[in-house]
Amino acid sequence: MTPEQKTLVKTTFAQVAPMADAVAEMFYGRLFEMDPSLRALFKIDLHEQGKKLMQTLAVCVANLEHLDVILPSVQALGKRHVAYGVVDAHYDTVGGALLWTLEKGLGAGFTPEVKEAWTTVYVTLSGVMKDAARAA
């Protein structure tokens, strides 16, 4: 990930973070539209799950310069997801829902460069989660 991509992710996250509840609601709405079977994987209240999602994104974005600091937590998250029934294909759906949500939240600010930057972050972190899940 380039320094410019890190800056784009940080800047655009700062733009959507104040709308955290609406962003999380859009994300889960899109996720379940894309794959209704995923709804069964979420046992807690979606409002609470949305808060967890936004907190996790905030930690990841804040640590883009020092991914080594969060990698153990990302790996642990990947291992926990196995117990919830998450499989590799679900990560693609989640990534698609995330990018769609960012596009809706940022509007014209969701440029091709922003999309590429977020895709790079997501592919990097989801790859770590998937590798940890396979090793579990």
Side-chain angles (χ1 to χ4, degrees):
M1 176 176 293
T2 68
E4 293 81 13
Q5 287 175 320
K6 292 174 186 177
T7 298
L8 283 173
V9 168
K10 289 178 181 183
T11 302
T12 54
F13 185 73
Q15 292 170 6
V16 297
M19 309 176 288
D21 288 344
V23 168
E25 186 176 323
M26 283 192 310
F27 169 80
Y28 285 109
R30 179 64 175 164
L31 181 67
F32 301 144
E33 181 181 300
M34 292 173 71
D35 186 347
S37 73
L38 291 177
R39 180 63 182 97
L41 300 180
F42 294 88
K43 307 296 183 201
I44 68 171
D45 174 71
L46 280 183
H47 183 73
E48 289 302 312
Q49 184 65 40
K51 286 183 179 183
K52 287 182 180 187
L53 169 71
M54 295 305 289
Q55 289 168 350
T56 300
L57 286 173
V59 169
C60 290
V61 169
N63 287 285
L64 287 177
E65 302 296 334
H66 309 284
L67 285 180
D68 57 312
V69 172
I70 63 168
L71 285 184
S73 296
V74 174
Q75 290 167 331
L77 186 60
K79 290 175 184 177
R80 282 195 309 272
H81 277 77
V82 173
Y84 305 141
V86 174
V87 297
D88 279 3
H90 294 151
Y91 287 95
D92 294 337
T93 308
V94 168
L98 176 63
L99 292 174
W100 179 89
T101 301
L102 289 166
E103 181 178 11
K104 296 301 176 197
L106 294 168
F110 191 73
T111 64
E113 295 80 16
V114 168
K115 181 178 182 178
E116 181 180 346
W118 274 99
T119 298
T120 300
V121 169
Y122 183 76
V123 167
T124 299
L125 295 176
S126 65
V128 170
M129 292 175 69
K130 290 189 282 188
D131 288 347
R134 282 188 216 103

PDB file of all heavy atoms in Angstrom, residues 36-69:
ATOM      1  N   PRO A  36     -28.510 -13.125   1.267  1.00  0.00           N
ATOM      2  CA  PRO A  36     -29.428 -13.222   2.403  1.00  0.00           C
ATOM      3  C   PRO A  36     -29.045 -14.305   3.413  1.00  0.00           C
ATOM      4  O   PRO A  36     -29.371 -14.192   4.595  1.00  0.00           O
ATOM      5  CB  PRO A  36     -30.775 -13.533   1.750  1.00  0.00           C
ATOM      6  CG  PRO A  36     -30.649 -13.027   0.353  1.00  0.00           C
ATOM      7  CD  PRO A  36     -29.207 -13.219  -0.021  1.00  0.00           C
ATOM      8  N   SER A  37     -28.343 -15.324   2.983  1.00  0.00           N
ATOM      9  CA  SER A  37     -27.964 -16.398   3.906  1.00  0.00           C
ATOM     10  C   SER A  37     -26.999 -15.910   4.991  1.00  0.00           C
ATOM     11  O   SER A  37     -26.894 -16.534   6.060  1.00  0.00           O
ATOM     12  CB  SER A  37     -27.341 -17.567   3.146  1.00  0.00           C
ATOM     13  OG  SER A  37     -26.044 -17.250   2.690  1.00  0.00           O
ATOM     14  N   LEU A  38     -26.330 -14.795   4.757  1.00  0.00           N
ATOM     15  CA  LEU A  38     -25.379 -14.283   5.745  1.00  0.00           C
ATOM     16  C   LEU A  38     -26.072 -13.752   6.998  1.00  0.00           C
ATOM     17  O   LEU A  38     -25.461 -13.699   8.069  1.00  0.00           O
ATOM     18  CB  LEU A  38     -24.497 -13.201   5.129  1.00  0.00           C
ATOM     19  CG  LEU A  38     -23.509 -13.684   4.084  1.00  0.00           C
ATOM     20  CD1 LEU A  38     -22.743 -12.506   3.490  1.00  0.00           C
ATOM     21  CD2 LEU A  38     -22.558 -14.708   4.659  1.00  0.00           C
ATOM     22  N   ARG A  39     -27.339 -13.397   6.885  1.00  0.00           N
ATOM     23  CA  ARG A  39     -28.064 -12.860   8.048  1.00  0.00           C
ATOM     24  C   ARG A  39     -28.028 -13.841   9.218  1.00  0.00           C
ATOM     25  O   ARG A  39     -27.915 -13.445  10.382  1.00  0.00           O
ATOM     26  CB  ARG A  39     -29.515 -12.529   7.656  1.00  0.00           C
ATOM     27  CG  ARG A  39     -30.355 -11.958   8.804  1.00  0.00           C
ATOM     28  CD  ARG A  39     -29.751 -10.634   9.263  1.00  0.00           C
ATOM     29  NE  ARG A  39     -30.455 -10.048  10.368  1.00  0.00           N
ATOM     30  CZ  ARG A  39     -30.102 -10.171  11.651  1.00  0.00           C
ATOM     31  NH1 ARG A  39     -29.051 -10.885  11.988  1.00  0.00           N
ATOM     32  NH2 ARG A  39     -30.782  -9.577  12.602  1.00  0.00           N
ATOM     33  N   ALA A  40     -28.070 -15.130   8.927  1.00  0.00           N
ATOM     34  CA  ALA A  40     -28.083 -16.151   9.980  1.00  0.00           C
ATOM     35  C   ALA A  40     -26.776 -16.190  10.767  1.00  0.00           C
ATOM     36  O   ALA A  40     -26.745 -16.725  11.883  1.00  0.00           O
ATOM     37  CB  ALA A  40     -28.368 -17.518   9.364  1.00  0.00           C
ATOM     38  N   LEU A  41     -25.715 -15.625  10.245  1.00  0.00           N
ATOM     39  CA  LEU A  41     -24.430 -15.634  10.946  1.00  0.00           C
ATOM     40  C   LEU A  41     -24.352 -14.579  12.041  1.00  0.00           C
ATOM     41  O   LEU A  41     -23.453 -14.619  12.870  1.00  0.00           O
ATOM     42  CB  LEU A  41     -23.281 -15.412   9.958  1.00  0.00           C
ATOM     43  CG  LEU A  41     -23.112 -16.429   8.836  1.00  0.00           C
ATOM     44  CD1 LEU A  41     -21.917 -16.047   7.961  1.00  0.00           C
ATOM     45  CD2 LEU A  41     -22.951 -17.833   9.376  1.00  0.00           C
ATOM     46  N   PHE A  42     -25.287 -13.656  12.045  1.00  0.00           N
ATOM     47  CA  PHE A  42     -25.250 -12.553  13.003  1.00  0.00           C
ATOM     48  C   PHE A  42     -26.262 -12.789  14.106  1.00  0.00           C
ATOM     49  O   PHE A  42     -27.465 -12.623  13.909  1.00  0.00           O
ATOM     50  CB  PHE A  42     -25.503 -11.224  12.279  1.00  0.00           C
ATOM     51  CG  PHE A  42     -24.406 -10.874  11.323  1.00  0.00           C
ATOM     52  CD1 PHE A  42     -24.438 -11.332  10.011  1.00  0.00           C
ATOM     53  CD2 PHE A  42     -23.318 -10.130  11.733  1.00  0.00           C
ATOM     54  CE1 PHE A  42     -23.421 -11.040   9.124  1.00  0.00           C
ATOM     55  CE2 PHE A  42     -22.284  -9.832  10.854  1.00  0.00           C
ATOM     56  CZ  PHE A  42     -22.341 -10.289   9.547  1.00  0.00           C
ATOM     57  N   LYS A  43     -25.757 -13.167  15.278  1.00  0.00           N
ATOM     58  CA  LYS A  43     -26.623 -13.531  16.403  1.00  0.00           C
ATOM     59  C   LYS A  43     -26.958 -12.344  17.301  1.00  0.00           C
ATOM     60  O   LYS A  43     -27.874 -12.420  18.095  1.00  0.00           O
ATOM     61  CB  LYS A  43     -25.961 -14.631  17.239  1.00  0.00           C
ATOM     62  CG  LYS A  43     -25.523 -15.845  16.436  1.00  0.00           C
ATOM     63  CD  LYS A  43     -26.674 -16.571  15.802  1.00  0.00           C
ATOM     64  CE  LYS A  43     -26.159 -17.812  15.091  1.00  0.00           C
ATOM     65  NZ  LYS A  43     -27.040 -18.307  14.086  1.00  0.00           N
ATOM     66  N   ILE A  44     -26.186 -11.262  17.205  1.00  0.00           N
ATOM     67  CA  ILE A  44     -26.451 -10.120  18.071  1.00  0.00           C
ATOM     68  C   ILE A  44     -27.207  -9.045  17.301  1.00  0.00           C
ATOM     69  O   ILE A  44     -27.321  -9.092  16.082  1.00  0.00           O
ATOM     70  CB  ILE A  44     -25.153  -9.537  18.690  1.00  0.00           C
ATOM     71  CG1 ILE A  44     -24.264  -8.890  17.615  1.00  0.00           C
ATOM     72  CG2 ILE A  44     -24.386 -10.596  19.447  1.00  0.00           C
ATOM     73  CD1 ILE A  44     -23.097  -8.106  18.179  1.00  0.00           C
ATOM     74  N   ASP A  45     -27.696  -8.087  18.047  1.00  0.00           N
ATOM     75  CA  ASP A  45     -28.411  -6.947  17.485  1.00  0.00           C
ATOM     76  C   ASP A  45     -27.542  -6.254  16.428  1.00  0.00           C
ATOM     77  O   ASP A  45     -26.354  -6.001  16.662  1.00  0.00           O
ATOM     78  CB  ASP A  45     -28.742  -5.975  18.624  1.00  0.00           C
ATOM     79  CG  ASP A  45     -29.362  -4.701  18.128  1.00  0.00           C
ATOM     80  OD1 ASP A  45     -30.518  -4.742  17.679  1.00  0.00           O
ATOM     81  OD2 ASP A  45     -28.675  -3.658  18.175  1.00  0.00           O
ATOM     82  N   LEU A  46     -28.126  -5.972  15.285  1.00  0.00           N
ATOM     83  CA  LEU A  46     -27.348  -5.374  14.192  1.00  0.00           C
ATOM     84  C   LEU A  46     -26.856  -3.969  14.518  1.00  0.00           C
ATOM     85  O   LEU A  46     -25.824  -3.546  13.996  1.00  0.00           O
ATOM     86  CB  LEU A  46     -28.146  -5.368  12.899  1.00  0.00           C
ATOM     87  CG  LEU A  46     -28.159  -6.697  12.152  1.00  0.00           C
ATOM     88  CD1 LEU A  46     -28.917  -6.568  10.840  1.00  0.00           C
ATOM     89  CD2 LEU A  46     -26.763  -7.223  11.893  1.00  0.00           C
ATOM     90  N   HIS A  47     -27.552  -3.261  15.375  1.00  0.00           N
ATOM     91  CA  HIS A  47     -27.061  -1.937  15.779  1.00  0.00           C
ATOM     92  C   HIS A  47     -25.738  -2.100  16.534  1.00  0.00           C
ATOM     93  O   HIS A  47     -24.775  -1.366  16.282  1.00  0.00           O
ATOM     94  CB  HIS A  47     -28.106  -1.203  16.623  1.00  0.00           C
ATOM     95  CG  HIS A  47     -27.679   0.175  17.008  1.00  0.00           C
ATOM     96  ND1 HIS A  47     -27.635   1.211  16.109  1.00  0.00           N
ATOM     97  CD2 HIS A  47     -27.250   0.677  18.185  1.00  0.00           C
ATOM     98  CE1 HIS A  47     -27.197   2.299  16.717  1.00  0.00           C
ATOM     99  NE2 HIS A  47     -26.950   2.002  17.983  1.00  0.00           N
ATOM    100  N   GLU A  48     -25.699  -3.058  17.439  1.00  0.00           N
ATOM    101  CA  GLU A  48     -24.467  -3.338  18.176  1.00  0.00           C
ATOM    102  C   GLU A  48     -23.373  -3.850  17.240  1.00  0.00           C
ATOM    103  O   GLU A  48     -22.214  -3.480  17.357  1.00  0.00           O
ATOM    104  CB  GLU A  48     -24.717  -4.352  19.297  1.00  0.00           C
ATOM    105  CG  GLU A  48     -25.520  -3.790  20.447  1.00  0.00           C
ATOM    106  CD  GLU A  48     -24.864  -2.563  21.077  1.00  0.00           C
ATOM    107  OE1 GLU A  48     -23.642  -2.595  21.362  1.00  0.00           O
ATOM    108  OE2 GLU A  48     -25.565  -1.548  21.268  1.00  0.00           O
ATOM    109  N   GLN A  49     -23.761  -4.718  16.314  1.00  0.00           N
ATOM    110  CA  GLN A  49     -22.802  -5.239  15.346  1.00  0.00           C
ATOM    111  C   GLN A  49     -22.243  -4.105  14.490  1.00  0.00           C
ATOM    112  O   GLN A  49     -21.056  -4.083  14.166  1.00  0.00           O
ATOM    113  CB  GLN A  49     -23.469  -6.290  14.447  1.00  0.00           C
ATOM    114  CG  GLN A  49     -22.531  -6.955  13.481  1.00  0.00           C
ATOM    115  CD  GLN A  49     -21.458  -7.798  14.150  1.00  0.00           C
ATOM    116  OE1 GLN A  49     -21.732  -8.484  15.126  1.00  0.00           O
ATOM    117  NE2 GLN A  49     -20.254  -7.745  13.632  1.00  0.00           N
ATOM    118  N   GLY A  50     -23.094  -3.157  14.141  1.00  0.00           N
ATOM    119  CA  GLY A  50     -22.650  -2.008  13.364  1.00  0.00           C
ATOM    120  C   GLY A  50     -21.630  -1.165  14.118  1.00  0.00           C
ATOM    121  O   GLY A  50     -20.661  -0.669  13.523  1.00  0.00           O
ATOM    122  N   LYS A  51     -21.838  -1.013  15.415  1.00  0.00           N
ATOM    123  CA  LYS A  51     -20.858  -0.282  16.232  1.00  0.00           C
ATOM    124  C   LYS A  51     -19.519  -1.006  16.224  1.00  0.00           C
ATOM    125  O   LYS A  51     -18.463  -0.384  16.099  1.00  0.00           O
ATOM    126  CB  LYS A  51     -21.369  -0.137  17.661  1.00  0.00           C
ATOM    127  CG  LYS A  51     -22.469   0.874  17.820  1.00  0.00           C
ATOM    128  CD  LYS A  51     -22.871   1.009  19.269  1.00  0.00           C
ATOM    129  CE  LYS A  51     -23.965   2.040  19.407  1.00  0.00           C
ATOM    130  NZ  LYS A  51     -24.340   2.260  20.800  1.00  0.00           N
ATOM    131  N   LYS A  52     -19.567  -2.335  16.346  1.00  0.00           N
ATOM    132  CA  LYS A  52     -18.329  -3.121  16.320  1.00  0.00           C
ATOM    133  C   LYS A  52     -17.629  -2.977  14.967  1.00  0.00           C
ATOM    134  O   LYS A  52     -16.410  -2.854  14.907  1.00  0.00           O
ATOM    135  CB  LYS A  52     -18.623  -4.600  16.593  1.00  0.00           C
ATOM    136  CG  LYS A  52     -18.978  -4.895  18.012  1.00  0.00           C
ATOM    137  CD  LYS A  52     -19.199  -6.391  18.196  1.00  0.00           C
ATOM    138  CE  LYS A  52     -19.557  -6.721  19.617  1.00  0.00           C
ATOM    139  NZ  LYS A  52     -19.616  -8.172  19.825  1.00  0.00           N
ATOM    140  N   LEU A  53     -18.401  -3.015  13.901  1.00  0.00           N
ATOM    141  CA  LEU A  53     -17.838  -2.856  12.560  1.00  0.00           C
ATOM    142  C   LEU A  53     -17.099  -1.529  12.444  1.00  0.00           C
ATOM    143  O   LEU A  53     -15.943  -1.477  12.009  1.00  0.00           O
ATOM    144  CB  LEU A  53     -18.932  -2.939  11.497  1.00  0.00           C
ATOM    145  CG  LEU A  53     -18.519  -2.529  10.080  1.00  0.00           C
ATOM    146  CD1 LEU A  53     -17.582  -3.557   9.466  1.00  0.00           C
ATOM    147  CD2 LEU A  53     -19.743  -2.313   9.206  1.00  0.00           C
ATOM    148  N   MET A  54     -17.746  -0.458  12.837  1.00  0.00           N
ATOM    149  CA  MET A  54     -17.147   0.865  12.685  1.00  0.00           C
ATOM    150  C   MET A  54     -15.937   1.039  13.606  1.00  0.00           C
ATOM    151  O   MET A  54     -14.949   1.666  13.223  1.00  0.00           O
ATOM    152  CB  MET A  54     -18.196   1.952  12.923  1.00  0.00           C
ATOM    153  CG  MET A  54     -19.314   1.963  11.867  1.00  0.00           C
ATOM    154  SD  MET A  54     -18.726   2.093  10.152  1.00  0.00           S
ATOM    155  CE  MET A  54     -18.141   3.792  10.135  1.00  0.00           C
ATOM    156  N   GLN A  55     -15.991   0.450  14.802  1.00  0.00           N
ATOM    157  CA  GLN A  55     -14.842   0.513  15.704  1.00  0.00           C
ATOM    158  C   GLN A  55     -13.657  -0.253  15.120  1.00  0.00           C
ATOM    159  O   GLN A  55     -12.514   0.205  15.177  1.00  0.00           O
ATOM    160  CB  GLN A  55     -15.210  -0.056  17.079  1.00  0.00           C
ATOM    161  CG  GLN A  55     -16.138   0.832  17.866  1.00  0.00           C
ATOM    162  CD  GLN A  55     -16.726   0.121  19.092  1.00  0.00           C
ATOM    163  OE1 GLN A  55     -16.600  -1.077  19.261  1.00  0.00           O
ATOM    164  NE2 GLN A  55     -17.385   0.896  19.946  1.00  0.00           N
ATOM    165  N   THR A  56     -13.938  -1.408  14.544  1.00  0.00           N
ATOM    166  CA  THR A  56     -12.879  -2.209  13.928  1.00  0.00           C
ATOM    167  C   THR A  56     -12.260  -1.471  12.751  1.00  0.00           C
ATOM    168  O   THR A  56     -11.031  -1.431  12.605  1.00  0.00           O
ATOM    169  CB  THR A  56     -13.429  -3.579  13.487  1.00  0.00           C
ATOM    170  OG1 THR A  56     -13.943  -4.262  14.640  1.00  0.00           O
ATOM    171  CG2 THR A  56     -12.364  -4.418  12.818  1.00  0.00           C
ATOM    172  N   LEU A  57     -13.099  -0.883  11.919  1.00  0.00           N
ATOM    173  CA  LEU A  57     -12.582  -0.096  10.792  1.00  0.00           C
ATOM    174  C   LEU A  57     -11.734   1.068  11.288  1.00  0.00           C
ATOM    175  O   LEU A  57     -10.667   1.346  10.728  1.00  0.00           O
ATOM    176  CB  LEU A  57     -13.724   0.416   9.916  1.00  0.00           C
ATOM    177  CG  LEU A  57     -14.412  -0.606   9.031  1.00  0.00           C
ATOM    178  CD1 LEU A  57     -15.634   0.017   8.342  1.00  0.00           C
ATOM    179  CD2 LEU A  57     -13.453  -1.181   7.997  1.00  0.00           C
ATOM    180  N   ALA A  58     -12.187   1.727  12.345  1.00  0.00           N
ATOM    181  CA  ALA A  58     -11.444   2.867  12.889  1.00  0.00           C
ATOM    182  C   ALA A  58     -10.057   2.439  13.370  1.00  0.00           C
ATOM    183  O   ALA A  58      -9.061   3.132  13.109  1.00  0.00           O
ATOM    184  CB  ALA A  58     -12.227   3.524  14.023  1.00  0.00           C
ATOM    185  N   VAL A  59      -9.974   1.313  14.056  1.00  0.00           N
ATOM    186  CA  VAL A  59      -8.678   0.814  14.533  1.00  0.00           C
ATOM    187  C   VAL A  59      -7.776   0.473  13.354  1.00  0.00           C
ATOM    188  O   VAL A  59      -6.597   0.823  13.341  1.00  0.00           O
ATOM    189  CB  VAL A  59      -8.872  -0.407  15.463  1.00  0.00           C
ATOM    190  CG1 VAL A  59      -7.546  -1.101  15.738  1.00  0.00           C
ATOM    191  CG2 VAL A  59      -9.539   0.021  16.765  1.00  0.00           C
ATOM    192  N   CYS A  60      -8.336  -0.200  12.361  1.00  0.00           N
ATOM    193  CA  CYS A  60      -7.537  -0.558  11.184  1.00  0.00           C
ATOM    194  C   CYS A  60      -7.024   0.677  10.460  1.00  0.00           C
ATOM    195  O   CYS A  60      -5.838   0.753  10.105  1.00  0.00           O
ATOM    196  CB  CYS A  60      -8.353  -1.441  10.239  1.00  0.00           C
ATOM    197  SG  CYS A  60      -8.666  -3.097  10.888  1.00  0.00           S
ATOM    198  N   VAL A  61      -7.891   1.633  10.238  1.00  0.00           N
ATOM    199  CA  VAL A  61      -7.502   2.854   9.531  1.00  0.00           C
ATOM    200  C   VAL A  61      -6.453   3.631  10.335  1.00  0.00           C
ATOM    201  O   VAL A  61      -5.464   4.115   9.775  1.00  0.00           O
ATOM    202  CB  VAL A  61      -8.737   3.726   9.223  1.00  0.00           C
ATOM    203  CG1 VAL A  61      -8.335   5.111   8.726  1.00  0.00           C
ATOM    204  CG2 VAL A  61      -9.635   3.029   8.201  1.00  0.00           C
ATOM    205  N   ALA A  62      -6.639   3.703  11.636  1.00  0.00           N
ATOM    206  CA  ALA A  62      -5.690   4.438  12.479  1.00  0.00           C
ATOM    207  C   ALA A  62      -4.309   3.794  12.492  1.00  0.00           C
ATOM    208  O   ALA A  62      -3.310   4.473  12.753  1.00  0.00           O
ATOM    209  CB  ALA A  62      -6.231   4.544  13.906  1.00  0.00           C
ATOM    210  N   ASN A  63      -4.253   2.504  12.196  1.00  0.00           N
ATOM    211  CA  ASN A  63      -2.976   1.782  12.258  1.00  0.00           C
ATOM    212  C   ASN A  63      -2.420   1.400  10.892  1.00  0.00           C
ATOM    213  O   ASN A  63      -1.579   0.496  10.804  1.00  0.00           O
ATOM    214  CB  ASN A  63      -3.137   0.545  13.133  1.00  0.00           C
ATOM    215  CG  ASN A  63      -3.232   0.911  14.592  1.00  0.00           C
ATOM    216  OD1 ASN A  63      -2.238   1.259  15.203  1.00  0.00           O
ATOM    217  ND2 ASN A  63      -4.436   0.872  15.136  1.00  0.00           N
ATOM    218  N   LEU A  64      -2.850   2.058   9.846  1.00  0.00           N
ATOM    219  CA  LEU A  64      -2.349   1.734   8.513  1.00  0.00           C
ATOM    220  C   LEU A  64      -0.836   1.889   8.411  1.00  0.00           C
ATOM    221  O   LEU A  64      -0.190   1.176   7.645  1.00  0.00           O
ATOM    222  CB  LEU A  64      -3.029   2.603   7.454  1.00  0.00           C
ATOM    223  CG  LEU A  64      -4.477   2.275   7.145  1.00  0.00           C
ATOM    224  CD1 LEU A  64      -5.041   3.277   6.137  1.00  0.00           C
ATOM    225  CD2 LEU A  64      -4.621   0.857   6.624  1.00  0.00           C
ATOM    226  N   GLU A  65      -0.274   2.804   9.169  1.00  0.00           N
ATOM    227  CA  GLU A  65       1.177   3.009   9.140  1.00  0.00           C
ATOM    228  C   GLU A  65       1.917   1.924   9.917  1.00  0.00           C
ATOM    229  O   GLU A  65       3.130   1.764   9.758  1.00  0.00           O
ATOM    230  CB  GLU A  65       1.537   4.381   9.725  1.00  0.00           C
ATOM    231  CG  GLU A  65       0.891   5.551   9.017  1.00  0.00           C
ATOM    232  CD  GLU A  65       1.335   5.706   7.570  1.00  0.00           C
ATOM    233  OE1 GLU A  65       2.451   5.276   7.233  1.00  0.00           O
ATOM    234  OE2 GLU A  65       0.549   6.249   6.778  1.00  0.00           O
ATOM    235  N   HIS A  66       1.184   1.208  10.769  1.00  0.00           N
ATOM    236  CA  HIS A  66       1.811   0.214  11.636  1.00  0.00           C
ATOM    237  C   HIS A  66       0.960  -1.050  11.682  1.00  0.00           C
ATOM    238  O   HIS A  66       0.479  -1.461  12.738  1.00  0.00           O
ATOM    239  CB  HIS A  66       1.981   0.773  13.056  1.00  0.00           C
ATOM    240  CG  HIS A  66       2.656   2.110  13.086  1.00  0.00           C
ATOM    241  ND1 HIS A  66       4.004   2.258  12.907  1.00  0.00           N
ATOM    242  CD2 HIS A  66       2.156   3.355  13.246  1.00  0.00           C
ATOM    243  CE1 HIS A  66       4.318   3.540  12.967  1.00  0.00           C
ATOM    244  NE2 HIS A  66       3.214   4.228  13.159  1.00  0.00           N
ATOM    245  N   LEU A  67       0.743  -1.663  10.531  1.00  0.00           N
ATOM    246  CA  LEU A  67      -0.116  -2.843  10.463  1.00  0.00           C
ATOM    247  C   LEU A  67       0.376  -3.967  11.374  1.00  0.00           C
ATOM    248  O   LEU A  67      -0.429  -4.747  11.882  1.00  0.00           O
ATOM    249  CB  LEU A  67      -0.243  -3.339   9.027  1.00  0.00           C
ATOM    250  CG  LEU A  67      -1.128  -2.517   8.104  1.00  0.00           C
ATOM    251  CD1 LEU A  67      -1.156  -3.122   6.705  1.00  0.00           C
ATOM    252  CD2 LEU A  67      -2.544  -2.404   8.653  1.00  0.00           C
ATOM    253  N   ASP A  68       1.677  -4.028  11.601  1.00  0.00           N
ATOM    254  CA  ASP A  68       2.211  -5.072  12.476  1.00  0.00           C
ATOM    255  C   ASP A  68       1.606  -5.006  13.875  1.00  0.00           C
ATOM    256  O   ASP A  68       1.501  -6.024  14.554  1.00  0.00           O
ATOM    257  CB  ASP A  68       3.739  -4.992  12.541  1.00  0.00           C
ATOM    258  CG  ASP A  68       4.245  -3.633  13.007  1.00  0.00           C
ATOM    259  OD1 ASP A  68       3.764  -2.597  12.477  1.00  0.00           O
ATOM    260  OD2 ASP A  68       5.119  -3.589  13.896  1.00  0.00           O
ATOM    261  N   VAL A  69       1.174  -3.826  14.289  1.00  0.00           N
ATOM    262  CA  VAL A  69       0.573  -3.652  15.616  1.00  0.00           C
ATOM    263  C   VAL A  69      -0.783  -4.364  15.699  1.00  0.00           C
ATOM    264  O   VAL A  69      -1.108  -4.960  16.721  1.00  0.00           O
ATOM    265  CB  VAL A  69       0.401  -2.145  15.941  1.00  0.00           C
ATOM    266  CG1 VAL A  69      -0.397  -1.932  17.215  1.00  0.00           C
ATOM    267  CG2 VAL A  69       1.766  -1.479  16.034  1.00  0.00           C
TER     268      VAL A  69
END
